[in-house]
Amino acid sequence: MEGGGKTITLVARKACFGLPTACPSCLPVYVFLKLTGLPFFFNYNLTYPDSDQIPYVETDECNVAYDNENGGVIETLKKDGIVDLDTGLDDIPEWISIKAMITSWLADAVLYELWVGSDGTSAYKIYYSDLPWPISKFLYYKQVNLAKQLLGITKENAVRREKEIYSKATKAYEALSARLGEDLYLFESRPTSLDALLLGHVLFTLHALPETSNLRSKLLTHTNLVKSAESFMTNYVVTSDSSSGLQPGDPLSSGSQSQSHQSTSASGRGSSNWRSNPRSKPKREKTEEEKTFRRRAKYFLVTQLAAVLIFLSLFGGSDNVDMEVDNDDDGSIYG
Amino acid sequence: MSHSGEDPDHNQTPTAASDSISDATADKDLDDDDYADEEEELSEESKLRAQKAKMENLFHRISNETVPLRVHDVLIKGNNRTKESLIEAEIECLREATSVQELLKAASIANARLQRLDIFESVNITLDSGPAELPGTTNVIVQVVEPRMPYSGDFGVYSRPELRTWTLEAAGKLKNLFGYGDLWDSSLVYGWDQMSEFSAGVYLPRFKGIPTPVTARASLFSQDWLKFSSFKENMLGVSFGLLSTKNHDLAYNLSWRTLTDPSQMASSSVRRQLGHNLNSALKYTYKIDNRNSSFRPTKGYAFVSTTQIGGLSPDTRCLRYLRQELDLRCAFPLGFYNAALNFGVSVGVLFPWGSGFRSKPTSLLDRFYLGGTSSPVCTLGGPTSVLGFKARGLGPTELRRKGKDDNESSDSYPGTDFLGGDLAITAFADLSFDLPLRVLREAGIHGHIFASAGSLNKLSENAYRNLSYQKFRESLRSSIGCGVIVPTKIFRMEVNYCHIVSQQASDRGKTGVQFSFSSP
């Protein structure tokens, strides 16, 4: 196996919804590293949601594979000879067309669901829940606009574009489902980077998107795709948490936190829900942490508002009020 | 306390002529015009003589004894825009005067205060006689002239030696817009590829009953630290100066700070810090400066303590930290060649707080960085300067990412990022003396011999556990040297020869001649 005995560290976005990382860009890289069987450290960056550098993989002190270079992290790892699962496959026309389908049609569908087609709860939890309130709100609305621009959605064509995105996603699911059949992997019964991309997408759609999601309901009709994701979670994530495959990360520098994702199957929706049909929006139980945060946020807002009102009333009313001056002014105060 | 009972003559008041006091000096140059033309009538002349004699008598009394006097009324004239309450607050001391001497002193203080508001072209305080039925009283007339154009602008190119760059700066000022002595200003600073800043603020000399100035400022700031630490800082924030007196200063700052790495070359520690954070901090500064000069102190001492508490918000996701700086300077005259010994010690500590604070990192933006050419004798801003080292040129470092350029050999040295430290200590000793040439002495040009040392260590992320005396000694960098200092009205220039006594491989210290510019 490649890797050359190097210490590999994956830095990704937040773990939630029962996934080790709930970011649609980071999950395929995580799956890829899992499929390679290489031991790796896993760390998080929780404060940079708008970065295109994340995920990145550090292969030693001075070498990093950023997601915004050389076609992404997986391609860079292959190019640098760190690890390659696609030997002899990545120039097959069918391989290329499947990859293009996953990285365009399915990626667009996820982008749409996450930022435009839902209420943004999932996106907020994945990207912004560790940033202070004003920053997270601003960045969220900025990203929504950016997603609309990327997808070419305007007020006029919104319905048409939505239909088109879902139609392409349906076709892609049908094609991938047919290609996979009853196998676990797409090509030659061995894991490749294409499987990592597909599994990353399927896991994200099943776990992170709300149960009312259209995309999720379309995916659930393809049981073999769902089954392959279940199988990956059982074989690689849950078991490896108790074995040597995944090691907990180092304490991180600022802006990041080390988190163990032992809760992969414990929190979030369990696999038993995966086959359920879309239903009316469920009422989610708020966790204690969320309640505390909401309480604090309300307190913060109320005090800020009170401060502004006091300031305005004092400043605005000063026109008619004589200035009070301390008589013990000794001049030294201005020094 | 009044002396009126002692001498009936004390009831006599300066009623003869208006006594004009300009620019805080109550001169006795009552109008020379009183010396009348020779062509005037004799009666007129005798009247004037009598008046002059009276005034001379008065001045004689003022200079020899206390002349009781009460302010009957204060009349303010010429304030078309300025609120009367503001002027009244500034001249309050006039009403408390009980004698001519006190009144003259109060008038000069009031004049200076009004001038300092920076909203009048000129201020004239006149003491006039009070009502005839109230002897021993005076009416004070405050005549202010407001500028016809209440705005001004500046434009220039400035050097920023600490960043090794030049900046283009433009500033606009709007004075007294609402009549409260409010000064509005906005400034734009642009340094090629390095920094840019836009800020706008307001200054209020008084806010309601608070007798100290209040300021508010919003700024948008961008600073490129790529050369030093492979990151770029963007900041959007507001700050409020809550209290500002001679010794105390209290300010609140709320800012959204973003660290990015456009070069994609950052070292691991810098890389992990990239992203956004919210800084909500209160800063308190206590300052005493009893030195006889900030350019060339030869006597006295100065002490500055700056305490900063970050994370003052109910949102636990704000940056939480405590930052303390202490700065002490002492100057001792030696009694020959105007020589003086200056000593200084500066200490800075930064530590996070909140749950799990021991293992938390501190922000790169709050850490201490040492090095730079600013003179430690003049600067009172915490531990920064170690002569002989370039700005941000010493302390903990980390290797950068290797270049991905195909032409570059894979084992080429990627360079280092300076990470700053949580515990910074600097100290210096400086002996300044006059040079033998008279021409140089007269120009204020003098020589000095100095020694400076500094140490920068990491405390956060449990690093404090590894900090031992041995490690502290190893982290100590020092330099000695001598040089010539050229003081000018606005800055102090030094030409120094520095010899680095101790440094580490990654430091940017250099033995040789160095130029430095400091402003007080």
Side-chain angles (χ1 to χ4, degrees), chain B residues 217-265:
Chain B
R217 186 152 209 91
S219 44
L220 185 64
F221 173 78
S222 168
Q223 172 72 58
D224 183 340
W225 296 110
L226 289 171
K227 268 188 207 168
F228 307 93
S229 308
S230 296
F231 70 82
K232 195 174 173 184
E233 169 194 1
N234 293 307
M235 195 270 286
L236 174 68
V238 286
S239 60
F240 301 96
L242 306 172
L243 178 75
S244 177
T245 68
K246 187 182 177 187
N247 299 123
H248 308 275
D249 194 89
L250 186 67
Y252 172 76
N253 182 278
L254 181 70
S255 53
W256 169 6
R257 307 185 299 185
T258 308
L259 264 69
T260 56
D261 171 26
S263 69
Q264 309 219 132
M265 297 302 288

Side-chain angles (χ1 to χ4, degrees), chain B residues 347-382:
Chain B
V347 182
V349 185
L350 171 70
F351 213 75
W353 63 275
S355 61
F357 67 96
R358 287 187 183 88
S359 56
K360 274 186 183 172
T362 48
S363 169
L364 282 168
L365 298 176
D366 300 317
R367 286 186 191 164
F368 298 97
Y369 294 87
L370 297 186
T373 52
S374 61
S375 164
V377 178
C378 298
T379 337
L380 264 177

Side-chain angles (χ1 to χ4, degrees), chain B residues 78-135:
Chain B
N79 57 322
N80 301 325
R81 197 184 301 117
T82 314
K83 305 279 179 206
E84 205 161 294
S85 57
L86 172 74
I87 300 175
E88 276 176 0
E90 296 296 331
I91 60 171
E92 190 64 29
C93 54
L94 286 173
R95 293 186 185 276
E96 291 159 22
T98 56
S99 66
V100 174
Q101 288 87 346
E102 276 181 32
L103 188 59
L104 294 177
K105 196 177 163 192
S108 70
I109 291 172
N111 194 304
R113 282 188 184 174
L114 289 174
Q115 299 270 14
R116 194 161 44 197
L117 290 176
D118 197 22
I119 54 172
F120 302 120
E121 263 183 4
S122 71
V123 179
N124 205 331
I125 299 178
T126 311
L127 308 182
D128 204 353
S129 59
E133 63 273 19
L134 290 172

Side-chain angles (χ1 to χ4, degrees), chain B residues 122-393:
Chain B
S122 71
V123 179
N124 205 331
I125 299 178
T126 311
L127 308 182
D128 204 353
S129 59
E133 63 273 19
L134 290 172
T137 60
T138 179
N139 284 340
V140 180
I141 300 161
V142 179
Q143 177 78 45
V144 294
V145 180
E146 291 175 341
R148 286 176 63 195
M149 291 190 297
Y151 47 83
S152 62
D154 282 320
F155 183 80
V157 178
Y158 300 87
S159 149
R160 297 213 174 196
E162 73 277 12
L163 300 172
R164 285 183 273 162
T165 187
W166 292 84
T167 55
L168 192 68
E169 302 189 18
K173 210 170 192 179
L174 205 57
K175 292 176 183 175
N176 211 11
L177 189 64
F178 296 109
Y180 292 100
D182 43 322
L183 303 177
W184 300 81
D185 76 288
S186 64
S187 69
L188 184 69
V189 181
Y190 179 74
W192 286 262
D193 296 332
Q194 284 250 334
M195 68 165 297
S196 57
E197 181 180 9
F198 175 73
S199 68
V202 60
Y203 167 93
L204 272 179
R206 281 170 184 266
F207 184 69
K208 287 291 168 186
I210 307 169
T212 70
V214 175
T215 59
R217 186 152 209 91
S219 44
L220 185 64
F221 173 78
S222 168
Q223 172 72 58
D224 183 340
W225 296 110
L226 289 171
K227 268 188 207 168
F228 307 93
S229 308
S230 296
F231 70 82
K232 195 174 173 184
E233 169 194 1
N234 293 307
M235 195 270 286
L236 174 68
V238 286
S239 60
F240 301 96
L242 306 172
L243 178 75
S244 177
T245 68
K246 187 182 177 187
N247 299 123
H248 308 275
D249 194 89
L250 186 67
Y252 172 76
N253 182 278
L254 181 70
S255 53
W256 169 6
R257 307 185 299 185
T258 308
L259 264 69
T260 56
D261 171 26
S263 69
Q264 309 219 132
M265 297 302 288
S267 58
S268 174
S269 291
V270 175
R271 199 157 51 230
R272 300 297 166 87
Q273 293 226 7
L274 299 179
H276 307 269
N277 63 56
L278 190 69
N279 181 31
S280 163
L282 199 63
K283 187 177 180 179
Y284 169 70
T285 309
Y286 176 72
K287 185 177 178 180
I288 308 173
D289 193 350
N290 286 336
R291 295 176 300 172
N292 56 351
S293 158
S294 54
F295 270 143
R296 187 186 177 185
T298 53
K299 195 180 167 186
Y301 65 92
F303 173 74
V304 179
S305 161
T306 308
T307 309
Q308 209 172 340
I309 306 171
L312 295 175
S313 154
D315 195 331
T316 54
R317 296 166 298 188
C318 282
L319 271 184
R320 292 178 155 187
Y321 63 91
L322 289 167
R323 196 175 193 270
Q324 176 67 50
E325 289 173 35
L326 296 172
D327 226 325
L328 181 68
R329 302 273 187 278
C330 296
F332 303 100
L334 296 181
F336 55 90
Y337 292 119
N338 202 15
L341 257 177
N342 271 277
F343 292 103
V345 181
S346 305
V347 182
V349 185
L350 171 70
F351 213 75
W353 63 275
S355 61
F357 67 96
R358 287 187 183 88
S359 56
K360 274 186 183 172
T362 48
S363 169
L364 282 168
L365 298 176
D366 300 317
R367 286 186 191 164
F368 298 97
Y369 294 87
L370 297 186
T373 52
S374 61
S375 164
V377 178
C378 298
T379 337
L380 264 177
T384 48
S385 190
V386 182
L387 289 171
F389 290 85
K390 287 184 178 171
R392 298 195 172 210

Side-chain angles (χ1 to χ4, degrees), chain A residues 75 78 86 88-104 176 179 186-187 192-194 197:
Chain A
E75 287 302 314
K78 279 160 65 176
D86 308 331
L89 292 174
D90 50 5
D91 49 358
I92 298 172
E94 203 183 354
W95 200 92
I96 294 166
S97 59
I98 290 177
K99 187 177 176 182
M101 196 162 60
I102 297 173
T103 53
S104 59
L176 288 164
R179 169 75 210 179
L186 289 167
F187 284 89
T192 62
S193 66
L194 209 51
L197 292 178

Side-chain angles (χ1 to χ4, degrees), chain B residues 458 461-469 471-472:
Chain B
K458 188 180 175 184
E461 297 179 276
N462 289 315
Y464 68 94
R465 290 179 181 163
N466 306 325
L467 189 66
S468 59
Y469 177 69
K471 207 174 169 202
F472 177 75

